[in-house]
C-alpha cells in the first residue's frame, strides 16, 4: 500500500516525525534548500510566461488497452470491440469501457484521443519513450529527459513560496513482482537526463535523490543531533506563530524553514482532509495483483496529487501498475484484468475530477491519462491482449483546454488511426503550450535552445 504521512507520533516540531524528516532532508547532506530557492528566484526573474497551471500525469504501467478504456468500438465485431462492453455518455459518439460508469458522468470534462500512436512495443523502452515525450526516441535511457524534468528546468526546481518541488512522482509500494517491476520502470522513465539531479522527481515514498540521505545507515549520535535540531526549530516555529513573520533570517532560509514547518508537512499529510472526502477517494476495498494481492492505493495517490498541485507542485506523475493483460503467468486476461483494475481507476479519477471542480481548480490542473502503449485488437489464445503501440491510450481532463470531445478516429478494427496520427511530439508540445505562453518563453535567452524546440511541433490543436 502507499505509505502516506498519517502517523500520529509527533516530534517536537509539532509535525509527525516522518513528515518532518522527509521534508527536512532537503536541507541535509550538503543539499541546501535555501540555495535551491535562491537559484529559483534568481532564475525566475520576469518569467511571466509561466501559466498558473499544473499537470497530473496518471501513467497506467503495463499498457492499458485503448479498446477497454476510451474506444470500446462496439460497432465492430469481436475481438475488435471491448470485451467489457461500454458505458454511454452525454457526448455524442463518446462511449467508455464498461468499467467506467462514474467517469462517464464527467464526459463533458474529457477530451479522448483515438488516434494516438508510437512505434515502441518493449515495456522498459516504451515507458522511457513515453515519459520523455519522445526526447529519447528509442527508449534506451541514454539521451533525453522526462517531460516533468523539462518543466522543472523551465519553471524552476521549487515553488518560490512553499519550497515544494516542481516535479513529483507519487508511487505506490507494491508486493506483486510484476507491479514492482512496472513501478521501477516508471521511476526510470522519469529521469532528468543531462538536466541534472536538481530536476529529478521528488518521490515521497522514498525513491528520490532528495530523500536518499534517509536511506543511509545513520548512527545514534546523528539521530541525537537531529533531535536537537528539531528542538531548536520548534522554538523558531513558536516565534513565527507568535509574531507572524520571520526576523533575522535570510529570505530564502525563511522559505526553507516554511517548507519544513508548514509547507511540505501539510502537503503530505492527508489526515488533514475531511474524512468524507477521503472516503470518496478510497479504493482500498479493491484487491489487485496476480500472484500476490494488496489493496489498491490509487485513490490515496490521486488525493496526494491534488494536495501537491494545490500546494505548488507543477508536474505530478502518478504511477499505477498492472495493465499488462496478456493472460500469462504474471498477468490476468483482458476481461478479468479490466474487472480488477477498472473500478478503482473509475472511482479514483472520478473523485479527483469532482474534487478539483468543487475547489475551482479544474481549469488550473490538467489530468493526462496514458500508459506504455495500447493492446492488440486481437485476443490471444489465453484470453489476453498483447503489446500494441499502433494505437495507444490517451485522454485529457481539465487544464482550461477544450473538453467534451473526441479527437481523431481509429480504423474499424481498432488497429490504426483513421485520421492524422497524434504523436509523442504533439503530446509533448501540448504539455508545454498548456504550461507556458510559448511565444513569450522563446524570448527568454536563458532557456536552452534544445528545450525551446520541444514546443515547435504542432500541439493537439483541438485542445486549444
Amino acid at each position: 500500500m502507499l505509505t502516506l504521512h498519517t502517523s500520529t507520533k509527533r516530534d517536537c516540531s509539532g509535525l509527525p516525525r516522518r513528515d518532518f524528516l522527509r521534508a527536512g532532508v532537503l536541507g541535509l547532506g550538503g543539499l541546501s534548500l535555501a540555495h535551491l530557492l535562491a537559484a529559483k528566484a534568481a532564475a525566475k526573474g520576469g518569467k511571466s510566461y509561466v501559466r498558473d497551471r499544473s499537470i497530473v500525469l496518471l501513467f497506467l504501467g503495463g499498457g492499458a488497452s485503448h479498446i477497454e478504456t476510451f474506444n470500446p468500438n462496439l460497432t465492430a465485431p469481436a475481438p475488435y470491440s471491448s470485451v467489457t462492453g461500454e458505458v454511454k455518455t452525454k457526448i455524442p459518439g463518446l462511449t467508455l469501457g464498461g468499467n467506467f460508469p462514474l467517469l462517464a458522468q464527467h464526459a463533458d470534462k474529457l477530451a479522448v484521443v483515438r488516434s494516438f500512436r508510437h512505434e515502441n512495443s518493449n515495456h522498459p523502452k516504451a515507458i522511457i519513450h513515453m515519459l520523455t515525450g519522445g526526447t529519447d526516441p528509442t527508449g534506451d535511457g541514454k539521451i533525453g529527459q522526462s517531460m516533468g524534468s523539462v518543466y522543472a528546468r523551465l519553471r524552476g526546481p521549487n515553488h518560490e513560496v512553499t519550497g515544494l518541488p516542481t516535479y513529483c512522482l507519487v508511487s505506490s509500494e507494491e508486493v506483486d513482482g510484476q507491479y514492482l517491476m512496472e513501478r521501477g520502470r516508471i521511476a526510470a522513465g522519469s529521469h532528468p537526463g543531462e538536466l541534472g539531479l536538481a530536476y529529478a522527481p521528488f518521490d515521497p515514498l522514498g525513491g528520490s535523490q532528495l530523500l536518499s540521505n534517509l536511506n543511509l545507515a545513520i548512527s545514534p549520535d546523528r539521530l541525537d543531533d537531529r533531535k536537537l535540531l528539531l528542538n531548536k526549530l520548534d522554538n523558531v516555529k513558536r516565534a513565527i506563530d507568535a509574531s507572524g513573520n520571520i526576523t533575522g533570517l535570510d529570505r530564502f532560509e525563511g522559505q526553507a524553514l516554511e517548507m519544513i514547518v508548514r509547507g511540505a508537512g501539510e502537503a503530505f499529510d492527508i489526515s488533514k482532509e475531511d474524512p468524507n472526502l477521503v472516503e470518496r477517494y478510497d479504493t482500498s476495498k479493491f484487491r489487485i495483483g496476480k500472484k500476490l494481492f494488496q489493496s489498491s492505493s490509487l485513490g490515496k495517490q490521486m488525493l496526494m496529487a491534488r494536495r501537491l498541485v494545490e500546494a505548488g507542485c507543477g508536474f505530478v506523475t502518478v504511477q499505477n501498475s498492472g495493465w499488462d493483460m496478456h493472460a500469462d503467468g504474471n498477468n490476468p486476461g483482458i476481461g478479468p484484468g479490466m474487472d480488477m483494475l477498472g473500478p478503482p481507476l473509475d472511482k479514483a479519477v472520478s473523485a479527483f475530477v469532482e474534487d478539483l471542480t468543487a475547489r475551482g481548480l479544474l481549469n488550473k490542473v490538467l489530468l493526462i491519462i496514458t500508459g506504455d502503449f495500447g493492446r492488440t485488437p486481437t485476443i490471444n489464445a489465453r484470453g489476453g491482449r498483447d503489446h500494441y503501440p499502433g494505437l495507444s491510450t490517451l485522454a485529457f481532463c481539465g487544464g482550461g483546454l477544450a473538453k467534451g470531445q473526441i479527437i481523431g478516429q481509429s480504423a474499424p478494427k481498432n488497429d490504426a488511426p483513421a485520421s492524422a496520427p497524434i504523436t509523442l511530439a504533439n503530446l509533448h508540445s501540448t504539455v508545454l503550450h498548456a504550461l507556458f505562453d510559448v511565444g513569450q518563453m522563446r524570448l527568454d535567452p536563458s532557456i536552452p535552445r534544445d528545450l525551446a524546440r520541444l514546443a515547435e511541433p504542432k500541439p493537439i490543436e483541438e485542445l486549444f
Side-chain angles (χ1 to χ4, degrees), residues 125-209:
K125 293 182 177 183
I127 290 173
I128 292 174
H129 183 50
M130 283 289 301
L131 291 176
T132 62
T135 59
D136 185 336
T138 62
D140 290 323
K142 297 178 181 178
I143 62 173
Q145 57 281 311
S146 67
M147 292 186 285
S149 294
V150 170
Y151 180 52
R153 169 62 180 84
L154 296 175
R155 192 191 90 163
N158 295 81
H159 189 275
E160 65 271 15
V161 176
T162 67
L164 282 169
T166 291
Y167 180 24
C168 286
L169 170 62
V170 179
S171 59
S172 174
E173 291 180 345
E174 304 290 359
V175 297
D176 190 287
Q178 179 72 15
Y179 287 41
L180 183 62
M181 181 169 55
E182 289 169 8
R183 175 191 164 199
R185 290 168 176 169
I186 293 171
S190 302
H191 71 89
E194 293 183 357
L195 295 179
L197 290 176
Y199 305 104
F202 179 92
D203 182 358
L205 189 61
S208 75
Q209 179 68 24

Side-chain angles (χ1 to χ4, degrees), residues 82-94:
S82 169
V83 302
T84 58
E86 67 178 6
V87 181
K88 296 185 182 300
T89 76
K90 62 181 101 174
I91 304 300
L94 177 57

Side-chain angles (χ1 to χ4, degrees), residues 275-394:
N276 291 326
L277 179 64
V278 174
E279 172 58 31
R280 283 166 52 199
Y281 274 97
D282 186 18
T283 57
S284 62
K285 71 177 182 180
F286 299 105
R287 302 288 290 173
I288 60 173
K290 172 61 177 178
K291 295 180 179 178
L292 296 174
F293 286 81
Q294 66 187 89
S295 295
S296 168
S297 65
L298 181 58
K300 288 185 178 180
Q301 290 172 267
M302 294 303 294
L303 177 55
M304 176 66 76
R306 191 227 80 208
R307 291 183 63 83
L308 289 173
V309 295
E310 195 172 33
C313 292
F315 197 110
V316 179
T317 299
V318 177
Q319 165 255 327
N320 185 237
S321 297
W323 297 88
D324 193 22
M325 298 176 186
H326 286 289
D328 58 13
N330 295 318
N331 305 277
I334 192 68
M338 289 302 305
D339 288 343
M340 177 176 62
L341 293 181
L345 180 69
D346 188 41
K347 182 174 184 180
V349 173
S350 298
F352 183 75
V353 173
E354 292 164 3
D355 194 9
L356 291 180
T357 302
R359 293 171 183 273
L361 294 174
L362 188 63
N363 287 335
K364 293 186 176 183
V365 180
L366 175 61
L367 172 65
I368 303 174
I369 304 174
T370 189
D372 314 20
F373 31 60
R375 312 301 295 187
T376 53
T378 55
I379 294 178
N380 63 37
R382 302 178 302 274
R385 295 191 190 273
D386 299 315
H387 302 181
Y388 195 75
L391 272 182
S392 299
T393 301
L394 181 61

Side-chain angles (χ1 to χ4, degrees), residues 91-92 94 106-112 396 401-406:
I91 304 300
L94 177 57
H106 301 289
D108 59 327
K109 305 178 185 70
L110 300 176
V112 170
F396 299 87
L401 304 186
K403 54 196 176 185
Q405 62 172 324
I406 299 168

Side-chain angles (χ1 to χ4, degrees), residues 401-417:
L401 304 186
K403 54 196 176 185
Q405 62 172 324
I406 299 168
I407 298 173
Q409 295 293 334
S410 63
K413 291 186 177 181
N414 240 338
D415 58 347

